[in-house]
Structures are given as structure tokens and as C-alpha cells.
Amino acid sequence: MSRETRQSGPHWRRVMAALANRDARTAYAQIVLGAAPDEMSPSLAGQRRERAIAALLDAGLVERTAGNELEASESIFHDLLTQQPKRQPQTGVARFMRLGRIDRYPANQTERRELLAWIAGETFEPGEELTERRVNERLLSYTDDVVLLRRYMIDFGVLERTPSGSSYFRPKDE
């Protein structure tokens, strides 16, 4: 059940994931400064260097030239910034979301239930029985505080626990 929207060009998560990796970040810095792969620091040798370069290429941070050399992309950050959508007044549950994640919970109980029901509808099939771990994994795409979200979903009846308490399910009439 992937809700990831496909966009042309680089994706910011892939860029951030590459830069979060110490080896890839070191390789990127050296490439930006003009080092060839064989001139990179000794700490980046062999497979570590190749994995780091592959991550940078995949993210679009570096490109291969016609001579098969590596160079930092001139347009990556501009491309990422142009992907940002123009701000539109938001309605419905979108008012409480930012970049596909819960930004805040509505104070109004009706609106909160609407948000929770929408997430449940997007995340779980009616009657599908899941362990707590699987529920948490799915809810993680909406918030880092999955315990709070899961508790709200149970309190508002959009998610239920089996009598044994070992698994969860979305009611079929929901």
C-alpha cells in the first residue's frame, strides 16, 4: 500500500539518506572539492567507496561526465527546491498534515475522528488483523509517536484490539 507520489527528478529523502551516511558524505565532500575516486581518503577504500558513490549517484548528488569522471551535480538543490508545491489553502484532513505526516491533532473531536478514520482507511484493510509491531510500522509513515496515534485510533473506534490483546484490526463497518 504505497502512498509515495512519484515525481520526476531527485527526491529529497534519497538525498538526505545519502548525506546521512558518513562514507557517502565524505565521498561527496571530496568530489565537490575535485578529487577523483582513486584520490579519495584512505578511509574510503574498496567496497565502502563504491557503495558511497553508488548512493550519491542514485540520489543525484553526483553525475558521471562524458569521460566517466565524477562531478557534483550543479542543479540538484535547485531541482529539489522547485519540487516544493505552491502553498494552497488546505481543507479537510490536509489541514492537519504536512508532507504526508501529522503536523498536529485537531482539538475538535469530530475533526480528530475524521483524521484518524482517514489514516485508518489509508493504512489498514477492513478486518485485516495485524500484530502491534506491524501496526506501528504502518503508522510510522504518519508520525514518530505511533503509540499516541494507535491509542487515539483505539479510543475513537477506528482501530480495535482483539479480545486477547495480541493483535489489532480495522472494523469492517468503518
Coordinates of all heavy atoms in Angstrom, one line a residue, residues 81-145:
L81 N 14.3 22.1 -4.7 CA 13.5 23.3 -4.3 C 12.3 23.5 -5.2 O 11.3 24.0 -4.8 CB 14.4 24.5 -4.1 CG 15.3 24.5 -3.0 CD1 16.3 25.7 -3.0 CD2 14.6 24.5 -1.6
T82 N 12.5 23.3 -6.5 CA 11.4 23.5 -7.4 C 10.3 22.5 -7.3 O 9.2 22.7 -7.8 CB 11.9 23.6 -8.9 OG1 12.5 22.3 -9.2 CG2 12.8 24.7 -9.1
Q83 N 10.6 21.4 -6.6 CA 9.6 20.3 -6.4 C 8.6 20.7 -5.3 O 7.6 20.1 -5.2 CB 10.2 19.0 -6.1 CG 10.9 18.3 -7.2 CD 11.6 17.1 -6.7 OE1 11.4 16.6 -5.6 NE2 12.4 16.4 -7.6
Q84 N 9.0 21.7 -4.5 CA 8.1 22.1 -3.4 C 6.8 22.7 -4.0 O 6.8 23.6 -4.8 CB 8.8 23.2 -2.5 CG 9.9 22.6 -1.8 CD 9.6 21.4 -0.9 OE1 8.6 21.5 -0.1 NE2 10.3 20.3 -1.0
P85 N 5.7 22.2 -3.5 CA 4.4 22.6 -4.1 C 4.1 24.1 -3.6 O 4.6 24.5 -2.5 CB 3.4 21.7 -3.5 CG 4.0 21.1 -2.2 CD 5.5 21.1 -2.5
K86 N 3.3 24.8 -4.4 CA 2.9 26.1 -4.0 C 1.9 25.9 -2.9 O 1.1 25.0 -2.9 CB 2.2 26.8 -5.2 CG 3.2 26.9 -6.4 CD 4.3 27.9 -6.2 CE 5.1 28.1 -7.4 NZ 6.4 27.8 -7.3
R87 N 2.0 26.8 -1.9 CA 1.0 26.8 -0.8 C -0.4 27.1 -1.3 O -0.6 28.1 -1.9 CB 1.4 27.8 0.3 CG 2.7 27.4 1.0 CD 2.3 26.7 2.2 NE 3.4 26.4 3.0 CZ 3.4 25.6 4.1 NH1 2.2 25.0 4.4 NH2 4.4 25.4 4.8
Q88 N -1.3 26.2 -1.0 CA -2.7 26.3 -1.2 C -3.4 26.3 0.1 O -3.0 25.5 1.0 CB -3.2 25.2 -2.2 CG -2.5 25.1 -3.5 CD -3.0 26.2 -4.5 OE1 -4.1 26.7 -4.3 NE2 -2.1 26.5 -5.4
P89 N -4.5 27.0 0.2 CA -5.3 26.9 1.4 C -5.8 25.4 1.5 O -6.3 24.9 0.5 CB -6.5 27.8 1.3 CG -6.2 28.7 0.1 CD -5.1 28.0 -0.7
Q90 N -5.6 24.8 2.6 CA -6.0 23.4 2.7 C -7.3 23.2 3.4 O -7.6 24.0 4.3 CB -4.9 22.6 3.4 CG -3.6 22.6 2.6 CD -2.5 21.8 3.3 OE1 -2.5 21.6 4.5 NE2 -1.5 21.4 2.5
T91 N -8.0 22.1 3.1 CA -9.3 21.8 3.7 C -9.2 20.4 4.1 O -8.3 19.6 3.8 CB -10.4 22.0 2.6 OG1 -10.2 21.1 1.5 CG2 -10.5 23.5 2.1
G92 N -10.2 20.0 4.9 CA -10.4 18.6 5.4 C -9.2 18.2 6.2 O -8.5 19.0 6.9
V93 N -8.8 16.9 6.1 CA -7.7 16.4 6.9 C -6.4 16.9 6.5 O -5.4 16.9 7.3 CB -7.7 14.8 6.9 CG1 -8.9 14.2 7.5 CG2 -7.4 14.3 5.5
A94 N -6.3 17.4 5.3 CA -5.0 18.0 4.8 C -4.5 19.2 5.7 O -3.3 19.4 5.8 CB -5.1 18.5 3.4
R95 N -5.5 19.8 6.4 CA -5.1 21.0 7.3 C -4.2 20.5 8.4 O -3.5 21.3 9.0 CB -6.4 21.6 7.8 CG -7.2 22.3 6.8 CD -8.4 22.9 7.4 NE -9.2 21.8 8.0 CZ -10.0 22.0 9.0 NH1 -10.2 23.1 9.6 NH2 -10.7 20.9 9.5
F96 N -4.3 19.2 8.7 CA -3.6 18.7 9.9 C -2.4 17.9 9.5 O -1.7 17.3 10.4 CB -4.5 17.9 10.7 CG -5.8 18.6 11.1 CD1 -7.0 18.2 10.5 CD2 -5.8 19.7 11.9 CE1 -8.2 18.9 10.7 CE2 -7.0 20.4 12.2 CZ -8.2 20.0 11.6
M97 N -2.1 17.9 8.2 CA -0.9 17.1 7.7 C 0.1 18.1 7.1 O -0.2 19.2 6.7 CB -1.4 16.1 6.6 CG -2.5 15.2 7.0 SD -2.1 14.0 8.2 CE -1.2 12.8 7.1
R98 N 1.4 17.6 7.1 CA 2.4 18.3 6.5 C 3.4 17.3 5.9 O 3.9 16.4 6.6 CB 3.2 19.2 7.4 CG 4.3 20.0 6.8 CD 4.9 21.0 7.8 NE 6.1 21.5 7.3 CZ 6.3 22.6 6.6 NH1 5.2 23.3 6.4 NH2 7.4 23.0 6.2
L99 N 3.6 17.4 4.6 CA 4.4 16.4 3.9 C 4.0 15.0 4.1 O 4.8 14.1 4.3 CB 5.9 16.6 4.2 CG 6.5 18.0 3.9 CD1 7.9 18.1 4.5 CD2 6.5 18.3 2.4
G100 N 2.7 14.8 4.2 CA 2.1 13.4 4.4 C 2.1 12.9 5.8 O 1.8 11.7 6.0
R101 N 2.6 13.7 6.7 CA 2.6 13.3 8.1 C 1.8 14.2 9.0 O 1.5 15.4 8.6 CB 4.1 13.3 8.6 CG 4.9 12.3 7.9 CD 6.4 12.3 8.3 NE 6.7 12.2 9.7 CZ 6.9 11.0 10.3 NH1 6.8 9.9 9.6 NH2 7.2 11.0 11.6
I102 N 1.4 13.7 10.1 CA 0.5 14.5 11.1 C 1.4 15.7 11.6 O 2.4 15.5 12.2 CB 0.0 13.6 12.2 CG1 -0.9 12.5 11.7 CG2 -0.8 14.5 13.2 CD1 -1.3 11.5 12.7
D103 N 0.9 16.9 11.4 CA 1.5 18.1 11.9 C 1.0 18.4 13.2 O 1.7 18.8 14.1 CB 1.3 19.2 10.9 CG 2.0 20.5 11.3 OD1 3.2 20.4 11.6 OD2 1.4 21.6 11.2
R104 N -0.3 18.2 13.4 CA -1.0 18.5 14.7 C -2.3 17.7 14.7 O -2.9 17.4 13.6 CB -1.2 20.0 14.9 CG -2.1 20.6 13.9 CD -2.2 22.1 14.0 NE -2.9 22.7 12.9 CZ -4.2 22.9 12.9 NH1 -4.9 22.6 13.9 NH2 -4.8 23.4 11.9
Y105 N -2.8 17.4 15.9 CA -4.1 16.7 16.0 C -5.1 17.8 16.2 O -4.9 18.8 17.0 CB -4.1 15.8 17.2 CG -3.2 14.5 17.0 CD1 -1.9 14.4 17.4 CD2 -3.8 13.5 16.3 CE1 -1.2 13.3 17.2 CE2 -3.0 12.3 16.0 CZ -1.7 12.3 16.5 OH -1.0 11.1 16.3
P106 N -6.3 17.7 15.6 CA -7.3 18.7 15.8 C -7.8 18.6 17.2 O -8.0 17.6 17.8 CB -8.4 18.2 14.8 CG -7.8 17.1 13.9 CD -6.6 16.6 14.6
A107 N -8.1 19.8 17.7 CA -8.7 19.9 19.1 C -10.2 19.5 19.0 O -10.7 18.8 19.9 CB -8.6 21.3 19.6
N108 N -10.9 19.8 17.9 CA -12.3 19.4 17.7 C -12.4 17.9 17.6 O -11.7 17.3 16.7 CB -12.8 20.1 16.5 CG -14.2 19.7 16.2 OD1 -14.5 18.6 15.8 ND2 -15.1 20.7 16.3
Q109 N -13.2 17.2 18.4 CA -13.2 15.8 18.4 C -13.8 15.2 17.1 O -13.3 14.1 16.7 CB -14.1 15.3 19.6 CG -13.6 15.7 20.9 CD -12.2 15.1 21.2 OE1 -12.1 13.9 21.2 NE2 -11.2 16.0 21.5
T110 N -14.7 15.9 16.4 CA -15.2 15.4 15.2 C -14.1 15.4 14.1 O -14.0 14.5 13.3 CB -16.4 16.3 14.7 OG1 -17.4 16.2 15.7 CG2 -17.0 15.8 13.4
E111 N -13.4 16.5 14.1 CA -12.3 16.6 13.1 C -11.2 15.6 13.4 O -10.6 15.0 12.5 CB -11.7 18.0 13.1 CG -12.6 19.0 12.5 CD -12.1 20.5 12.6 OE1 -11.3 20.8 13.5 OE2 -12.5 21.3 11.7
R112 N -10.9 15.4 14.7 CA -9.9 14.4 15.1 C -10.3 13.0 14.6 O -9.5 12.3 14.1 CB -9.7 14.4 16.6 CG -8.5 13.5 17.0 CD -8.2 13.5 18.5 NE -7.6 14.9 18.8 CZ -7.1 15.2 19.9 NH1 -7.1 14.3 20.9 NH2 -6.7 16.4 20.1
R113 N -11.6 12.7 14.8 CA -12.1 11.3 14.4 C -12.0 11.2 12.9 O -11.6 10.2 12.4 CB -13.5 11.1 14.9 CG -13.9 9.7 14.5 CD -15.4 9.4 14.9 NE -15.6 8.0 15.0 CZ -15.6 7.2 13.9 NH1 -15.2 7.6 12.7 NH2 -15.9 5.9 14.0
E114 N -12.3 12.3 12.2 CA -12.2 12.3 10.7 C -10.7 12.0 10.3 O -10.5 11.2 9.4 CB -12.7 13.6 10.2 CG -12.7 13.7 8.7 CD -13.1 15.1 8.2 OE1 -13.7 15.9 9.0 OE2 -12.8 15.4 7.0
L115 N -9.8 12.7 10.9 CA -8.4 12.5 10.6 C -8.0 11.0 10.9 O -7.3 10.4 10.0 CB -7.5 13.4 11.4 CG -6.0 13.2 11.3 CD1 -5.5 13.5 9.9 CD2 -5.2 14.0 12.4
L116 N -8.3 10.5 12.0 CA -8.0 9.1 12.4 C -8.6 8.1 11.5 O -8.0 7.1 11.1 CB -8.4 8.9 13.8 CG -7.7 9.8 14.9 CD1 -8.3 9.6 16.3 CD2 -6.2 9.5 14.9
A117 N -9.9 8.4 11.1 CA -10.6 7.4 10.2 C -9.9 7.5 8.8 O -9.8 6.4 8.2 CB -12.1 7.8 10.1
W118 N -9.5 8.6 8.4 CA -8.8 8.7 7.1 C -7.5 8.0 7.1 O -7.2 7.2 6.2 CB -8.6 10.2 6.7 CG -7.9 10.4 5.4 CD1 -8.4 10.3 4.2 CD2 -6.5 10.5 5.3 NE1 -7.4 10.5 3.2 CE2 -6.2 10.6 3.9 CE3 -5.4 10.6 6.1 CZ2 -4.9 10.8 3.3 CZ3 -4.1 10.8 5.6 CH2 -3.9 10.9 4.2
I119 N -6.7 8.1 8.2 CA -5.5 7.4 8.3 C -5.7 5.9 8.3 O -5.1 5.1 7.6 CB -4.7 7.9 9.5 CG1 -4.2 9.3 9.3 CG2 -3.5 6.9 9.8 CD1 -3.5 9.9 10.5
A120 N -6.7 5.5 9.1 CA -7.0 4.0 9.2 C -7.4 3.5 7.8 O -7.0 2.4 7.4 CB -8.2 3.8 10.2
G121 N -8.2 4.3 7.0 CA -8.7 3.9 5.7 C -7.5 3.8 4.7 O -7.5 2.9 3.8
E122 N -6.5 4.6 4.9 CA -5.3 4.6 4.0 C -4.4 3.5 4.4 O -3.6 3.1 3.6 CB -4.6 6.0 4.1 CG -5.4 7.1 3.5 CD -5.4 7.0 2.0 OE1 -4.4 6.9 1.3 OE2 -6.6 7.1 1.5
T123 N -4.4 3.1 5.7 CA -3.4 2.2 6.2 C -3.8 0.7 6.4 O -2.9 -0.1 6.2 CB -2.9 2.8 7.6 OG1 -2.6 4.2 7.4 CG2 -1.7 2.1 8.1
F124 N -5.0 0.5 6.7 CA -5.5 -0.8 7.0 C -6.7 -1.2 6.2 O -7.6 -0.4 6.0 CB -5.9 -1.0 8.5 CG -4.8 -0.4 9.5 CD1 -5.0 0.8 10.1 CD2 -3.6 -1.1 9.6 CE1 -4.1 1.3 11.0 CE2 -2.6 -0.6 10.5 CZ -2.9 0.6 11.2
E125 N -6.7 -2.5 5.8 CA -7.9 -3.1 5.1 C -8.9 -3.4 6.2 O -8.5 -3.9 7.3 CB -7.5 -4.3 4.3 CG -6.6 -4.0 3.2 CD -7.2 -3.1 2.1 OE1 -8.4 -3.3 1.9 OE2 -6.5 -2.3 1.5
P126 N -10.2 -3.3 5.9 CA -11.2 -3.7 6.9 C -11.0 -5.2 7.3 O -10.9 -6.0 6.4 CB -12.5 -3.4 6.2 CG -12.2 -2.4 5.2 CD -10.8 -2.7 4.8
G127 N -11.0 -5.5 8.6 CA -10.9 -6.8 9.0 C -9.5 -7.4 9.0 O -9.3 -8.5 9.6
E128 N -8.5 -6.7 8.4 CA -7.2 -7.2 8.4 C -6.6 -7.2 9.8 O -6.6 -6.2 10.5 CB -6.3 -6.3 7.5 CG -4.9 -6.6 7.4 CD -4.1 -5.5 6.6 OE1 -4.5 -4.4 6.5 OE2 -3.0 -5.9 6.1
E129 N -6.1 -8.4 10.3 CA -5.6 -8.5 11.6 C -4.1 -8.4 11.6 O -3.4 -9.1 10.8 CB -6.0 -9.8 12.2 CG -6.0 -9.9 13.7 CD -6.7 -11.1 14.2 OE1 -7.9 -11.3 13.9 OE2 -6.1 -11.8 15.0
L130 N -3.5 -7.5 12.4 CA -2.1 -7.2 12.5 C -1.6 -7.2 13.9 O -2.3 -6.8 14.8 CB -1.8 -5.8 11.8 CG -2.2 -5.6 10.4 CD1 -2.3 -4.2 10.1 CD2 -1.2 -6.3 9.5
T131 N -0.3 -7.6 14.0 CA 0.3 -7.5 15.3 C 0.6 -6.1 15.6 O 0.6 -5.2 14.7 CB 1.7 -8.3 15.3 OG1 2.6 -7.6 14.4 CG2 1.5 -9.7 15.0
E132 N 0.9 -5.8 16.9 CA 1.2 -4.4 17.3 C 2.4 -3.9 16.5 O 2.4 -2.7 16.1 CB 1.5 -4.4 18.8 CG 1.7 -3.0 19.3 CD 1.9 -2.9 20.8 OE1 0.9 -3.3 21.5 OE2 2.9 -2.5 21.3
R133 N 3.4 -4.7 16.3 CA 4.6 -4.3 15.6 C 4.2 -3.9 14.2 O 4.7 -2.9 13.7 CB 5.6 -5.5 15.6 CG 6.9 -5.1 14.9 CD 7.8 -6.3 14.9 NE 9.1 -5.9 14.3 CZ 10.1 -6.7 14.3 NH1 10.1 -7.9 14.8 NH2 11.2 -6.2 13.7
R134 N 3.4 -4.7 13.5 CA 3.0 -4.3 12.1 C 2.2 -3.0 12.0 O 2.3 -2.2 11.1 CB 2.2 -5.5 11.4 CG 3.0 -6.8 11.3 CD 4.2 -6.7 10.4 NE 3.6 -6.5 9.0 CZ 4.3 -6.1 8.0 NH1 5.6 -6.0 8.1 NH2 3.8 -6.0 6.8
V135 N 1.3 -2.9 13.0 CA 0.5 -1.6 13.1 C 1.5 -0.5 13.3 O 1.3 0.6 12.6 CB -0.5 -1.7 14.3 CG1 -1.1 -0.3 14.5 CG2 -1.6 -2.7 14.0
N136 N 2.4 -0.6 14.2 CA 3.4 0.5 14.4 C 4.2 0.8 13.2 O 4.4 2.0 12.9 CB 4.3 0.2 15.6 CG 3.6 0.1 16.9 OD1 2.5 0.6 17.0 ND2 4.3 -0.4 17.9
E137 N 4.6 -0.2 12.5 CA 5.4 0.0 11.2 C 4.6 0.8 10.2 O 5.1 1.7 9.6 CB 5.8 -1.3 10.6 CG 6.9 -2.0 11.4 CD 7.1 -3.5 10.9 OE1 6.4 -3.9 10.0 OE2 8.0 -4.1 11.4
R138 N 3.3 0.5 10.1 CA 2.5 1.2 9.1 C 2.2 2.7 9.6 O 2.1 3.6 8.8 CB 1.2 0.5 8.9 CG 1.4 -0.8 8.1 CD 0.1 -1.4 7.7 NE 0.3 -2.7 7.1 CZ -0.7 -3.5 6.6 NH1 -1.9 -3.0 6.7 NH2 -0.4 -4.6 6.1
L139 N 2.0 2.8 10.9 CA 1.7 4.2 11.4 C 2.9 5.1 11.4 O 2.7 6.3 11.4 CB 1.1 4.1 12.8 CG -0.3 3.4 12.9 CD1 -0.8 3.4 14.3 CD2 -1.3 4.1 12.0
L140 N 4.1 4.5 11.4 CA 5.3 5.3 11.4 C 5.4 6.3 10.2 O 6.0 7.3 10.3 CB 6.5 4.4 11.4 CG 7.9 5.0 11.8 CD1 7.8 5.7 13.1 CD2 8.9 4.0 11.8
S141 N 4.7 6.0 9.1 CA 4.8 6.9 8.0 C 4.0 8.2 8.2 O 4.1 9.1 7.5 CB 4.3 6.2 6.7 OG 3.0 5.8 6.8
Y142 N 3.1 8.1 9.3 CA 2.3 9.3 9.6 C 2.8 10.1 10.8 O 2.5 11.3 11.0 CB 0.9 8.9 9.9 CG 0.2 8.3 8.7 CD1 0.1 7.0 8.5 CD2 -0.3 9.2 7.7 CE1 -0.5 6.5 7.3 CE2 -0.9 8.7 6.5 CZ -1.0 7.3 6.4 OH -1.6 6.8 5.2
T143 N 3.6 9.5 11.7 CA 4.1 10.2 12.9 C 5.2 9.4 13.5 O 5.3 8.1 13.3 CB 2.9 10.4 13.9 OG1 3.4 11.1 15.1 CG2 2.3 9.1 14.4
D144 N 6.0 10.0 14.3 CA 7.0 9.3 15.1 C 6.5 8.8 16.4 O 7.0 7.8 16.9 CB 8.2 10.2 15.4 CG 9.0 10.6 14.1 OD1 9.0 9.7 13.2 OD2 9.7 11.6 14.1
D145 N 5.4 9.4 16.9 CA 4.7 8.9 18.1 C 3.6 8.0 17.8 O 2.4 8.3 17.9 CB 4.2 10.1 18.9 CG 3.8 9.8 20.3 OD1 3.7 8.5 20.6 OD2 3.5 10.7 21.1

